[in-house]
Amino acid sequence: MVVECPSCHTTYNFDDSVAQPGQKLRCTVCEHVFALPSGTDGAGDDADQPSADDAGAEVSSSQGQEGDAGGSYDFNLDSSPSGEKKGKSKTLLIALIAVVVLLGGGAGVAYYFAPQLLGGIVGSSSDNTTADGMPDPAKMQEMVKQISLESIRQYYVDNEKAGKIFVIEGRALNASAAPKELIEVEASLFDANNAVLDSSRQFCGNTLSLFQLQVLGQEEIATALTDEAGIGSNNVNLQPGQDVPFMFVFFSPSENVSEFVVKVAAVRDVEDL
């Protein structure tokens, strides 16, 4: 016989051999429990409905329930509801597939036309870069070896506002076979016991004249030496064999300065940007 849930109107084909008027059934769609109507006759409709047994109906509890004189069976109707539920599931699946396709297509377009937009989302193991776009430490170690430091000298200058300052200057040469840029150098001051007294890290390409070193204040000097592109962008797209100047200024230097060390701290390939 055909049984219909009075709550959600899902229909099931129930086995006549176990059907007893008044027995309790549970709808698997809305979980509503209802009694099998007496005199239900589904003859003629059975051919198009799956039976409760075929569809996996389960007996979840047995006889002796209170209020059922002859005992009853509590059936969990587990047949597949027709059309509507299946249609909704299928529609949802199609919608999810469409969303995935659209997202994938959008990411592909962005990667093709503007890959930099995905820099923080999609990583690449082949670019050897960290999350901030810098080359990884192993690659950086090899790259800094391709920059040669030349014409390094140091001297003191009497500044009108800050007193005696210690200046280090020199040039960084691109000794590699490819363009480089945004070269950074680091200088450290040591005493006679090889203890670090002071250190500074600067971008190449920024220098000041002797007159500027004499008359500018500490803040003005510090600001003038911080442009990463350098004066006239001379720290950008440095071709093989080209060099760029650099300068460090230490204010109130210790009287115990015995030596100093300058090294290349970082460099970028032009295509990394």
Side-chain angles (χ1 to χ4, degrees):
M1 67 173 63
V2 176
V3 178
E4 179 178 328
C5 173
S7 177
C8 67
H9 303 290
T10 301
T11 58
Y12 302 90
N13 189 21
F14 195 67
D15 189 353
D16 291 338
S17 64
V18 296
Q20 299 180 19
Q23 69 182 119
K24 294 180 180 179
L25 307 176
R26 179 181 292 108
C27 176
T28 59
V29 176
C30 66
E31 300 295 328
H32 178 65
V33 177
F34 60 98
L36 182 66
S38 60
T40 301
D41 186 5
D45 295 332
D46 293 352
D48 296 329
Q49 295 290 339
S51 69
D53 289 338
D54 293 339
E58 298 177 357
V59 179
S60 57
S61 62
S62 59
Q63 301 100 337
Q65 294 188 14
E66 184 177 355
D68 294 326
S72 68
Y73 295 93
D74 182 8
F75 282 91
N76 181 19
L77 295 173
D78 196 24
S79 70
S80 299
S82 58
E84 183 178 0
K85 185 178 179 182
K86 291 183 178 179
K88 289 181 179 178
S89 300
K90 186 175 181 180
T91 301
L92 179 60
L93 178 60
I94 293 175
L96 290 175
I97 294 175
V99 170
V100 171
V101 171
L102 288 175
L103 290 176
V109 171
Y111 182 79
Y112 183 81
F113 290 102
Q116 68 274 14
L117 297 179
L118 299 178
I121 303 175
V122 181
S124 173
S125 59
S126 60
D127 59 8
N128 294 321
T129 59
T130 59
D132 60 358
M134 291 293 289
D136 64 33
K139 183 180 179 183
M140 181 65 74
Q141 187 175 8
E142 294 300 318
M143 291 174 64
V144 298
K145 294 178 181 179
Q146 300 172 346
I147 305 299
S148 175
L149 299 181
E150 302 178 344
S151 305
I152 299 176
R153 68 188 186 106
Q154 84 285 350
Y155 52 90
Y156 287 95
V157 173
D158 289 323
N159 183 274
E160 294 180 359
K161 301 176 181 179
K164 186 170 67 172
I165 59 177
F166 184 64
V167 181
I168 303 174
E169 63 180 3
R171 304 190 72 84
L173 173 70
N174 179 12
S176 73
K180 304 293 180 183
E181 55 193 358
L182 303 186
I183 301 173
E184 294 180 73
V185 288
E186 183 177 329
S188 300
L189 307 182
F190 298 87
D191 63 13
N193 296 319
N194 205 34
V196 177
L197 300 174
D198 202 353
S199 64
S200 178
R201 180 166 170 165
Q202 300 282 5
F203 282 100
C204 292
N206 302 297
T207 59
L208 295 171
S209 67
L210 178 60
F211 176 73
Q212 290 173 310
L213 292 172
Q214 291 172 331
V215 301
L216 295 180
Q218 180 173 344
E219 184 176 347
E220 294 172 302
I221 291 176
T223 300
L225 298 177
T226 57
D227 187 354
E228 65 178 20
I231 299 173
S233 298
N234 59 353
N235 195 27
V236 176
N237 197 20
L238 201 67
Q239 297 299 312
Q242 289 185 333
D243 60 13
V244 59
F246 62 83
M247 176 177 283
F248 295 93
V249 176
F250 293 92
F251 296 90
S252 303
S254 172
E255 296 293 337
N256 298 323
V257 175
S258 176
E259 62 179 0
F260 66 95
V261 172
V262 181
K263 65 179 182 179
V264 179
V267 60
R268 298 282 292 272
D269 286 328
V270 173
E271 61 266 24
D272 282 343
L273 298 179

